[in-house]
Amino acid sequence: QEMMQRIQALAPGSHLKVDAPTGEIIGLELTSGNFSLEPGGQIEYASAPQDDLQGVLDDLASGLSLMEQAGSGEVVFLDHGTNPLAGDELPLLVPKHRYQILNRYFASQPGGRGVHMMRYSATAQPNVDVIGHASWLDAVNLTLTLTPLARALFANSLYFHGKLLGPGSERQRIWEAIDATRTGIPPVAFVTDLPGAYAEWGRKAYVFLAGDLPLEEQPRYGELTFQQWQEEGYKGTKPTPEDWETHLGTLFPDLR
């Protein structure tokens, strides 16, 4: 949280993101991209939408430069897809309200690694704008086709719980072992109505944030899909358009 405050002092026009229910600093909005604090203390950077790859590279370089300046030589940054040093019992270091709900949800998944995802994995997120419907469809189809290659090219997580694990990507292994209804490669490539197919995929995903219900009343893993919530309701609630927007934001596919 202090890092976010330091970066804000270096970046005119930026503003801190604060979690209203808890008062915790959870990130920083820049005039370009934004920083977010992940549950295990990871710092993630997401670029602003750019219309070419050079723009994405320049944006990312600017964000990393701000981190280095704010660190003032007092902070060591590890560019690694998983936290290579933290041991088995890493607590919830950023107790954002939604993170508490998500932590409870993933802890209820038998054999799942969602808790590992929250605490140990991190990424840089490039955002590319594609103008025009036909070009956008082509770009989505191409990106989904190339995703397995991209996973291999950018694999950078050989260590976990302080141990060298060997070849492959531990970050990818973690992500493959969490809620399959909201992760992976959505089955939407080369279909006639791609946005509609994505929405249908999203409706079948499990819900972990059902409106304003208190933490202990929120659904656990496997208990409620968005479609079930629409059709049957849940604990006296029905989803609103705002709940649908929120639900879409809780989907974590390789491309969204």
Side-chain angles (χ1 to χ4, degrees), residues 149-182:
L149 175 62
R151 286 176 176 174
L153 284 173
F154 295 100
N156 183 28
S157 51
L158 295 175
Y159 291 85
F160 189 66
H161 287 170
K163 300 181 179 64
L164 177 63
L165 299 178
S169 167
E170 181 62 16
R171 182 181 185 278
Q172 191 58 43
R173 286 189 284 265
I174 289 172
W175 277 84
E176 288 172 352
I178 69 174
D179 185 355
T181 71
R182 62 178 8 92

CSV table of all heavy atoms in Angstrom, one decimal, residues 149-182:
chain,number,residue,atom,x,y,z
A,149,LEU,N,0.6,-21.3,-27.6
A,149,LEU,CA,1.9,-20.9,-28.0
A,149,LEU,C,2.4,-19.8,-27.1
A,149,LEU,O,3.5,-19.8,-26.6
A,149,LEU,CB,2.0,-20.5,-29.4
A,149,LEU,CG,3.4,-19.9,-29.9
A,149,LEU,CD1,4.5,-21.0,-29.8
A,149,LEU,CD2,3.3,-19.4,-31.3
A,150,ALA,N,1.5,-18.8,-26.8
A,150,ALA,CA,1.9,-17.7,-26.0
A,150,ALA,C,2.2,-18.2,-24.5
A,150,ALA,O,3.1,-17.7,-23.9
A,150,ALA,CB,0.8,-16.6,-25.9
A,151,ARG,N,1.4,-19.1,-24.1
A,151,ARG,CA,1.6,-19.7,-22.7
A,151,ARG,C,3.1,-20.2,-22.6
A,151,ARG,O,3.8,-20.0,-21.6
A,151,ARG,CB,0.7,-20.8,-22.4
A,151,ARG,CG,-0.7,-20.4,-22.1
A,151,ARG,CD,-1.6,-21.7,-22.0
A,151,ARG,NE,-2.9,-21.4,-21.6
A,151,ARG,CZ,-3.9,-22.4,-21.5
A,151,ARG,NH1,-3.6,-23.6,-21.8
A,151,ARG,NH2,-5.1,-22.1,-21.1
A,152,ALA,N,3.5,-20.9,-23.7
A,152,ALA,CA,4.8,-21.5,-23.7
A,152,ALA,C,5.9,-20.5,-23.8
A,152,ALA,O,7.0,-20.5,-23.1
A,152,ALA,CB,4.9,-22.6,-24.8
A,153,LEU,N,5.7,-19.5,-24.7
A,153,LEU,CA,6.7,-18.5,-24.9
A,153,LEU,C,7.0,-17.6,-23.7
A,153,LEU,O,8.1,-17.3,-23.4
A,153,LEU,CB,6.3,-17.5,-26.1
A,153,LEU,CG,6.4,-18.1,-27.5
A,153,LEU,CD1,5.7,-17.1,-28.4
A,153,LEU,CD2,7.8,-18.3,-27.9
A,154,PHE,N,6.0,-17.4,-22.9
A,154,PHE,CA,6.1,-16.5,-21.8
A,154,PHE,C,6.1,-17.2,-20.4
A,154,PHE,O,6.0,-16.5,-19.4
A,154,PHE,CB,5.0,-15.4,-21.8
A,154,PHE,CG,5.1,-14.5,-23.0
A,154,PHE,CD1,4.3,-14.7,-24.1
A,154,PHE,CD2,6.0,-13.4,-23.0
A,154,PHE,CE1,4.3,-13.9,-25.2
A,154,PHE,CE2,6.1,-12.6,-24.1
A,154,PHE,CZ,5.3,-12.8,-25.2
A,155,ALA,N,6.3,-18.5,-20.4
A,155,ALA,CA,6.4,-19.2,-19.2
A,155,ALA,C,7.6,-18.7,-18.4
A,155,ALA,O,8.7,-18.6,-18.9
A,155,ALA,CB,6.5,-20.7,-19.5
A,156,ASN,N,7.3,-18.4,-17.1
A,156,ASN,CA,8.4,-17.8,-16.3
A,156,ASN,C,8.0,-18.0,-14.8
A,156,ASN,O,7.8,-17.1,-14.0
A,156,ASN,CB,8.4,-16.3,-16.5
A,156,ASN,CG,9.6,-15.6,-15.7
A,156,ASN,OD1,10.5,-16.2,-15.4
A,156,ASN,ND2,9.4,-14.3,-15.4
A,157,SER,N,7.9,-19.3,-14.5
A,157,SER,CA,7.6,-19.6,-13.1
A,157,SER,C,8.1,-21.0,-12.7
A,157,SER,O,7.4,-22.0,-12.6
A,157,SER,CB,6.1,-19.5,-12.8
A,157,SER,OG,5.4,-20.3,-13.8
A,158,LEU,N,9.4,-21.1,-12.5
A,158,LEU,CA,10.1,-22.4,-12.3
A,158,LEU,C,10.1,-22.7,-10.8
A,158,LEU,O,10.4,-23.8,-10.4
A,158,LEU,CB,11.5,-22.4,-12.8
A,158,LEU,CG,11.7,-22.3,-14.3
A,158,LEU,CD1,13.1,-22.2,-14.7
A,158,LEU,CD2,11.1,-23.5,-15.0
A,159,TYR,N,9.8,-21.7,-9.9
A,159,TYR,CA,10.0,-21.9,-8.5
A,159,TYR,C,8.6,-21.8,-7.8
A,159,TYR,O,7.8,-20.9,-8.2
A,159,TYR,CB,10.9,-20.9,-7.9
A,159,TYR,CG,12.4,-21.1,-8.3
A,159,TYR,CD1,12.8,-20.5,-9.5
A,159,TYR,CD2,13.2,-21.8,-7.5
A,159,TYR,CE1,14.2,-20.7,-9.8
A,159,TYR,CE2,14.6,-21.9,-7.8
A,159,TYR,CZ,15.0,-21.4,-9.0
A,159,TYR,OH,16.3,-21.6,-9.4
A,160,PHE,N,8.4,-22.6,-6.8
A,160,PHE,CA,7.2,-22.5,-6.0
A,160,PHE,C,7.5,-23.0,-4.6
A,160,PHE,O,8.1,-24.0,-4.4
A,160,PHE,CB,6.1,-23.3,-6.6
A,160,PHE,CG,4.7,-23.1,-6.0
A,160,PHE,CD1,4.1,-21.9,-6.0
A,160,PHE,CD2,4.1,-24.1,-5.3
A,160,PHE,CE1,2.8,-21.7,-5.5
A,160,PHE,CE2,2.9,-24.0,-4.7
A,160,PHE,CZ,2.2,-22.7,-4.8
A,161,HIS,N,7.0,-22.3,-3.6
A,161,HIS,CA,7.3,-22.6,-2.1
A,161,HIS,C,8.8,-22.8,-1.9
A,161,HIS,O,9.2,-23.6,-1.2
A,161,HIS,CB,6.6,-23.9,-1.7
A,161,HIS,CG,5.1,-23.7,-1.5
A,161,HIS,ND1,4.2,-24.7,-1.4
A,161,HIS,CD2,4.3,-22.5,-1.5
A,161,HIS,CE1,3.0,-24.2,-1.2
A,161,HIS,NE2,3.0,-22.9,-1.3
A,162,GLY,N,9.6,-21.9,-2.6
A,162,GLY,CA,11.0,-21.9,-2.4
A,162,GLY,C,11.8,-23.1,-3.1
A,162,GLY,O,12.9,-23.2,-2.8
A,163,LYS,N,11.1,-23.8,-3.9
A,163,LYS,CA,11.7,-25.0,-4.5
A,163,LYS,C,11.7,-24.9,-6.1
A,163,LYS,O,10.8,-24.4,-6.7
A,163,LYS,CB,11.0,-26.3,-4.1
A,163,LYS,CG,11.0,-26.5,-2.6
A,163,LYS,CD,10.2,-27.8,-2.3
A,163,LYS,CE,10.2,-28.1,-0.9
A,163,LYS,NZ,9.4,-27.1,-0.1
A,164,LEU,N,12.8,-25.3,-6.7
A,164,LEU,CA,12.9,-25.4,-8.1
A,164,LEU,C,12.1,-26.6,-8.6
A,164,LEU,O,12.4,-27.7,-8.2
A,164,LEU,CB,14.3,-25.5,-8.6
A,164,LEU,CG,14.6,-25.6,-10.1
A,164,LEU,CD1,14.1,-24.4,-10.8
A,164,LEU,CD2,16.1,-25.9,-10.4
A,165,LEU,N,11.1,-26.4,-9.5
A,165,LEU,CA,10.2,-27.4,-9.9
A,165,LEU,C,10.6,-28.1,-11.2
A,165,LEU,O,10.0,-29.1,-11.6
A,165,LEU,CB,8.8,-26.9,-9.9
A,165,LEU,CG,8.3,-26.4,-8.6
A,165,LEU,CD1,6.9,-25.8,-8.8
A,165,LEU,CD2,8.3,-27.5,-7.6
A,166,GLY,N,11.5,-27.5,-12.0
A,166,GLY,CA,11.8,-28.0,-13.3
A,166,GLY,C,11.1,-27.4,-14.4
A,166,GLY,O,10.5,-26.3,-14.3
A,167,PRO,N,11.0,-28.1,-15.5
A,167,PRO,CA,10.4,-27.5,-16.8
A,167,PRO,C,8.9,-27.2,-16.6
A,167,PRO,O,8.2,-27.7,-15.8
A,167,PRO,CB,10.7,-28.5,-17.8
A,167,PRO,CG,10.7,-29.8,-17.1
A,167,PRO,CD,11.4,-29.5,-15.8
A,168,GLY,N,8.4,-26.4,-17.6
A,168,GLY,CA,7.0,-26.0,-17.6
A,168,GLY,C,6.8,-24.8,-16.8
A,168,GLY,O,7.7,-24.1,-16.3
A,169,SER,N,5.5,-24.5,-16.6
A,169,SER,CA,5.0,-23.3,-15.9
A,169,SER,C,4.2,-23.6,-14.7
A,169,SER,O,3.1,-24.1,-14.9
A,169,SER,CB,4.2,-22.4,-16.9
A,169,SER,OG,3.5,-21.4,-16.2
A,170,GLU,N,4.7,-23.3,-13.5
A,170,GLU,CA,3.9,-23.6,-12.3
A,170,GLU,C,2.7,-22.7,-12.3
A,170,GLU,O,1.7,-23.1,-11.8
A,170,GLU,CB,4.8,-23.4,-11.1
A,170,GLU,CG,4.1,-23.7,-9.8
A,170,GLU,CD,3.6,-25.1,-9.6
A,170,GLU,OE1,4.1,-26.0,-10.4
A,170,GLU,OE2,2.8,-25.4,-8.7
A,171,ARG,N,2.9,-21.5,-12.8
A,171,ARG,CA,1.7,-20.6,-12.8
A,171,ARG,C,0.6,-21.2,-13.6
A,171,ARG,O,-0.6,-21.2,-13.3
A,171,ARG,CB,2.1,-19.2,-13.4
A,171,ARG,CG,0.9,-18.2,-13.4
A,171,ARG,CD,1.4,-16.9,-14.0
A,171,ARG,NE,0.3,-15.9,-13.9
A,171,ARG,CZ,-0.7,-15.8,-14.8
A,171,ARG,NH1,-0.8,-16.7,-15.8
A,171,ARG,NH2,-1.7,-14.9,-14.6
A,172,GLN,N,0.9,-21.8,-14.8
A,172,GLN,CA,-0.1,-22.4,-15.6
A,172,GLN,C,-0.7,-23.6,-15.0
A,172,GLN,O,-1.9,-23.9,-15.1
A,172,GLN,CB,0.5,-22.8,-17.0
A,172,GLN,CG,-0.5,-23.2,-18.0
A,172,GLN,CD,-1.5,-22.1,-18.3
A,172,GLN,OE1,-1.2,-20.9,-18.4
A,172,GLN,NE2,-2.8,-22.5,-18.4
A,173,ARG,N,0.1,-24.4,-14.3
A,173,ARG,CA,-0.4,-25.5,-13.5
A,173,ARG,C,-1.4,-25.1,-12.5
A,173,ARG,O,-2.4,-25.8,-12.2
A,173,ARG,CB,0.8,-26.4,-12.9
A,173,ARG,CG,1.5,-27.2,-14.0
A,173,ARG,CD,2.5,-28.1,-13.3
A,173,ARG,NE,3.7,-27.4,-12.8
A,173,ARG,CZ,4.9,-27.3,-13.5
A,173,ARG,NH1,5.0,-27.8,-14.7
A,173,ARG,NH2,5.9,-26.7,-13.0
A,174,ILE,N,-1.1,-24.0,-11.8
A,174,ILE,CA,-2.0,-23.5,-10.8
A,174,ILE,C,-3.3,-23.1,-11.5
A,174,ILE,O,-4.4,-23.5,-11.0
A,174,ILE,CB,-1.4,-22.2,-10.1
A,174,ILE,CG1,-0.3,-22.7,-9.1
A,174,ILE,CG2,-2.5,-21.5,-9.3
A,174,ILE,CD1,0.5,-21.5,-8.5
A,175,TRP,N,-3.3,-22.3,-12.6
A,175,TRP,CA,-4.5,-21.8,-13.2
A,175,TRP,C,-5.3,-23.0,-13.8
A,175,TRP,O,-6.5,-22.9,-13.9
A,175,TRP,CB,-4.1,-20.8,-14.3
A,175,TRP,CG,-3.9,-19.5,-13.7
A,175,TRP,CD1,-2.8,-19.0,-13.1
A,175,TRP,CD2,-4.9,-18.4,-13.5
A,175,TRP,NE1,-3.0,-17.7,-12.6
A,175,TRP,CE2,-4.3,-17.4,-12.9
A,175,TRP,CE3,-6.2,-18.3,-14.0
A,175,TRP,CZ2,-5.0,-16.2,-12.6
A,175,TRP,CZ3,-6.9,-17.2,-13.7
A,175,TRP,CH2,-6.3,-16.1,-13.0
A,176,GLU,N,-4.6,-24.1,-14.2
A,176,GLU,CA,-5.4,-25.2,-14.8
A,176,GLU,C,-6.1,-26.0,-13.7
A,176,GLU,O,-6.9,-26.8,-14.0
A,176,GLU,CB,-4.4,-26.1,-15.5
A,176,GLU,CG,-4.0,-25.5,-16.9
A,176,GLU,CD,-2.9,-26.3,-17.5
A,176,GLU,OE1,-2.4,-27.3,-16.9
A,176,GLU,OE2,-2.5,-26.0,-18.7
A,177,ALA,N,-5.8,-25.7,-12.4
A,177,ALA,CA,-6.4,-26.5,-11.3
A,177,ALA,C,-7.3,-25.6,-10.5
A,177,ALA,O,-7.6,-26.0,-9.3
A,177,ALA,CB,-5.3,-27.1,-10.4
A,178,ILE,N,-7.8,-24.5,-11.0
A,178,ILE,CA,-8.8,-23.7,-10.4
A,178,ILE,C,-10.1,-23.8,-11.2
A,178,ILE,O,-10.2,-24.4,-12.2
A,178,ILE,CB,-8.4,-22.2,-10.1
A,178,ILE,CG1,-8.3,-21.4,-11.4
A,178,ILE,CG2,-7.1,-22.2,-9.4
A,178,ILE,CD1,-8.0,-20.0,-11.2
A,179,ASP,N,-11.1,-23.1,-10.7
A,179,ASP,CA,-12.5,-23.1,-11.3
A,179,ASP,C,-12.5,-23.1,-12.8
A,179,ASP,O,-12.3,-22.1,-13.4
A,179,ASP,CB,-13.2,-21.9,-10.7
A,179,ASP,CG,-14.7,-21.9,-11.1
A,179,ASP,OD1,-15.1,-22.7,-11.9
A,179,ASP,OD2,-15.4,-21.0,-10.6
A,180,ALA,N,-12.7,-24.3,-13.4
A,180,ALA,CA,-12.7,-24.4,-14.9
A,180,ALA,C,-13.9,-23.7,-15.5
A,180,ALA,O,-13.8,-23.5,-16.8
A,180,ALA,CB,-12.7,-25.9,-15.3
A,181,THR,N,-14.9,-23.3,-14.8
A,181,THR,CA,-16.0,-22.6,-15.4
A,181,THR,C,-15.7,-21.2,-15.8
A,181,THR,O,-16.4,-20.5,-16.5
A,181,THR,CB,-17.3,-22.6,-14.5
A,181,THR,OG1,-17.1,-21.7,-13.4
A,181,THR,CG2,-17.6,-24.0,-14.0
A,182,ARG,N,-14.6,-20.6,-15.2
A,182,ARG,CA,-14.3,-19.2,-15.5
A,182,ARG,C,-12.8,-19.0,-15.9
A,182,ARG,O,-12.4,-17.8,-16.1
A,182,ARG,CB,-14.5,-18.4,-14.2
A,182,ARG,CG,-13.7,-18.8,-13.0
A,182,ARG,CD,-13.8,-18.0,-11.7
A,182,ARG,NE,-14.9,-17.0,-11.7
A,182,ARG,CZ,-16.1,-17.2,-11.2
A,182,ARG,NH1,-16.4,-18.5,-10.8
A,182,ARG,NH2,-17.0,-16.3,-11.2
